[in-house]
Amino acid sequence: MRTKLARSAATLATALALVAGNAAGAVAGNPGSTGNPGETGGTGTTGHAASAVNAFRPSGDDARSDPAPSLPEVRAALIRVMDAGAPGAFAVVRDHLHPELNGSLAVGEADLDGTPMWADARFRVGSNTKMFTSVLALRLAEQGRFDLDKPLRDYLPSGTIPASWPITARQVLEHRAGVYDHVNDLLEQSGEETTAAFEARIRDTVYDPRALVSLSVKHGLQFPPGSAYAYTNTGFVLMGLVAEHLTGRPYAELLREQILAPLGLRRTSFTVPEKRIVGPHASGYLTHDDPREPLLDATEQTGSWIWSAGGIVSSARDLDRFLTALLAGSAGGLISDDSLRQMTRSLPTGVPRIAYGLGLRQIALSCGVVLGHGGIVQGYQSQAFATPDGHRTVVVFANASNNGAVTQGLMDALEPAFCGPVQASVPRHSSSATHAPSVDNQASNQASNQASVPAVPAVEDARM
């Protein structure tokens, strides 16, 4: 069991070597930079030894041979995202074993002033934050500070949750504790437009995390803990409070000292409740409930309404680094091999092809499963996933939210990015993420003897 916050210099050097060189790559299929608009950069990407990547890499007949990404199909998915209403979008593919397969694509605009989208823009990552919060929780468990399977109330300030609640940290991290999502109260008031709710309760309001928990507690537990899956942001606010209570340190400091600084994530920050995003970034736009109204600029907001469940700002480059180190287990310097096994032990969610572990989502693609998370926060949405061995990461992003077709378009980019050309995928949906292919379409595919790859259902990470 590790008791120190920082790893040895040798271990840290190994972890950083795993993700070195992901700053350079191919833009729109050509060598170049993923830097700011107008910048040019190097053309190479530094690789690393496969033996240092992940303790769980299969071998022999079980080894996974990842196909080359189909960048034209990824680009087509991004174009659909724009057609659905997003000003711009990008995708970044990093393959640490085969850097020649790296690719970055950016389409459209980063803001409504006409700034071209670029693939290394900073953005609000939303519920991708949950992976970071889970890492902090698992590190505390490794240090013996708390037990994932004992009542969570014992590790929180007195009165945070009812003394009668038997929920555990493991159930919370799996979204199986029955905790009501406070976000429903903030964003889905009956008869009120989401854009109006944003201005009234999200943009400028600064919430104390315990006040967010109180919004949830008044609804009571929604089902017996452990008996079902129901996505809830409040659970990860609770985990942030646990981390603060057990260490006596602010969440932002823990995040910086235990994850951001050791991994060199210089474009990642947690500045809640500061409203501005510092440095070059994409603007985020909230889709108005009335389609006749223009997009609402939601870039500036306190982020306190989502706190340790969704308040991080980052970039594709830094998310690649984080995922690669995370999935390397002990060699990555974040969590132990045993913690990684627990984190990746996924349970069904009720959504086809999607399972969930400890703050980590699993998606079943045609070429195998990928691990990561998605994030939808007002104005922004993204998906950040990796192969289980951490060799390939994919980050896709759009600067518009409250738009199911945009969400589906980003999900549609994952299959070609990880699995290569899709010979015959089902029709792309314009709204609902969970509709199955129609009988007519299925029959047509079968009649033509073409392989059919079903679309991955979209999952809305802010509200589900």
Side-chain angles (χ1 to χ4, degrees):
M1 183 175 295
R2 295 164 295 174
T3 59
K4 296 182 180 180
L5 298 182
R7 311 294 181 187
S8 67
T11 301
L12 181 57
T14 299
L16 295 181
L18 301 181
V19 291
N22 56 9
V27 177
N30 296 318
S33 169
T34 58
N36 299 339
E39 290 184 358
T40 58
T43 61
T45 299
T46 303
H48 55 77
S51 60
V53 173
N54 191 287
F56 307 105
R57 175 159 178 79
S59 60
D61 293 337
D62 294 327
R64 167 176 173 157
S65 178
D66 297 316
S70 174
L71 294 184
E73 292 188 55
V74 173
R75 181 179 180 84
L78 299 183
I79 295 299
R80 289 194 295 273
V81 165
M82 286 185 58
D83 290 343
F90 67 68
V92 177
V93 179
R94 289 289 175 264
D95 193 304
H96 296 285
L97 282 184
H98 303 285
E100 69 277 7
L101 299 180
N102 290 352
S104 296
L105 300 163
V107 298
E109 299 176 346
D111 56 50
L112 296 184
D113 292 329
T115 303
M117 181 62 78
W118 76 104
D120 206 24
R122 298 186 75 209
F123 58 93
R124 298 186 184 276
V125 306
S127 287
N128 285 297
T129 301
K130 292 179 173 64
M131 294 187 288
F132 292 78
T133 300
S134 294
V135 166
L136 293 179
L138 288 167
R139 287 170 67 92
L140 287 170
E142 289 173 9
Q143 296 160 16
R145 307 291 288 273
F146 85 119
D147 191 315
L148 292 176
D149 298 305
K150 290 186 176 179
L152 190 67
R153 60 177 180 263
D154 296 343
Y155 309 109
L156 287 163
S158 178
T160 303
I161 59 175
S164 60
W165 280 18
I167 64 175
T168 68
R170 189 181 305 278
Q171 292 165 343
V172 165
L173 292 171
E174 292 173 338
H175 297 290
R176 301 179 70 86
V179 175
Y180 178 85
D181 192 350
H182 73 273
V183 169
N184 293 331
D185 284 359
L186 296 181
L187 298 183
E188 296 185 12
Q189 294 291 326
S190 178
E192 185 172 29
E193 291 182 342
T194 305
T195 43
F198 173 77
E199 296 291 12
R201 292 190 294 274
I202 303 301
R203 187 191 292 278
D204 300 313
T205 307
V206 177
Y207 294 95
D208 182 276
R210 291 186 63 174
L212 300 178
V213 174
S214 295
L215 288 174
S216 170
V217 167
K218 71 181 182 180
H219 292 274
L221 290 178
Q222 303 300 290
F223 50 80
S227 66
Y229 172 91
Y231 191 89
T232 171
N233 294 282
T234 310
F236 282 76
V237 173
L238 284 170
M239 296 314 304
L241 288 171
V242 166
E244 290 194 338
H245 183 62
L246 293 181
T247 63
R249 307 284 299 284
Y251 174 84
E253 287 186 11
L254 295 171
L255 186 70
R256 181 173 60 254
E257 294 176 5
Q258 298 193 32
I259 300 177
L260 308 188
L263 292 184
L265 306 186
R266 298 181 179 86
R267 301 188 182 200
T268 304
S269 61
F270 182 88
T271 58
V272 174
E274 294 296 325
K275 292 169 60 177
R276 295 180 59 248
I277 300 177
V278 178
H281 60 273
S283 296
Y285 297 93
L286 183 60
T287 304
H288 205 288
D289 296 86
D290 184 345
R292 297 169 297 181
E293 296 292 329
L295 295 172
L296 175 67
D297 191 332
T299 306
E300 294 193 357
Q301 54 180 289
T302 71
S304 67
W305 66 286
I306 205 76
W307 199 54
S308 57
I312 285 178
V313 172
S314 190
S315 69
R317 181 187 306 185
D318 276 9
L319 289 174
D320 164 51
R321 271 196 167 212
F322 172 76
L323 277 171
T324 305
L326 172 61
L327 294 176
S330 297
L334 289 180
I335 59 175
S336 69
D337 289 347
D338 181 64
S339 290
L340 181 59
R341 289 187 187 95
Q342 295 184 62
M343 196 172 184
T344 57
R345 189 178 298 128
S346 302
L347 297 173
T349 64
V351 177
R353 307 178 69 190
I354 295 177
Y356 204 93
L358 302 183
L360 199 66
R361 180 170 290 141
Q362 175 183 290
I363 296 179
L365 301 176
S366 66
C367 57
V369 301
V370 293
L371 299 167
H373 217 287
I376 302 177
V377 65
Q378 304 294 65
Y380 299 88
Q381 54 182 303
S382 56
Q383 301 290 332
F385 283 87
T387 53
D389 52 28
H391 288 163
R392 182 180 298 177
T393 66
V394 174
V395 178
V396 291
F397 164 81
N399 55 346
S401 69
N402 282 34
N403 186 323
V406 170
T407 307
Q408 186 64 63
L410 291 182
M411 297 296 283
D412 289 345
L414 297 178
E415 174 73 25
F418 282 107
C419 302
V422 180
Q423 295 184 20
S425 62
V426 298
R428 309 299 180 180
H429 306 303
S430 59
S431 55
S432 172
T434 58
H435 291 167
S438 70
V439 174
D440 288 343
N441 285 329
Q442 289 179 347
S444 175
N445 286 338
Q446 292 171 357
S448 60
N449 292 320
Q450 291 179 312
S452 178
V453 179
V456 176
V459 177
E460 293 203 19
D461 290 279
R463 291 172 291 168
M464 180 175 175

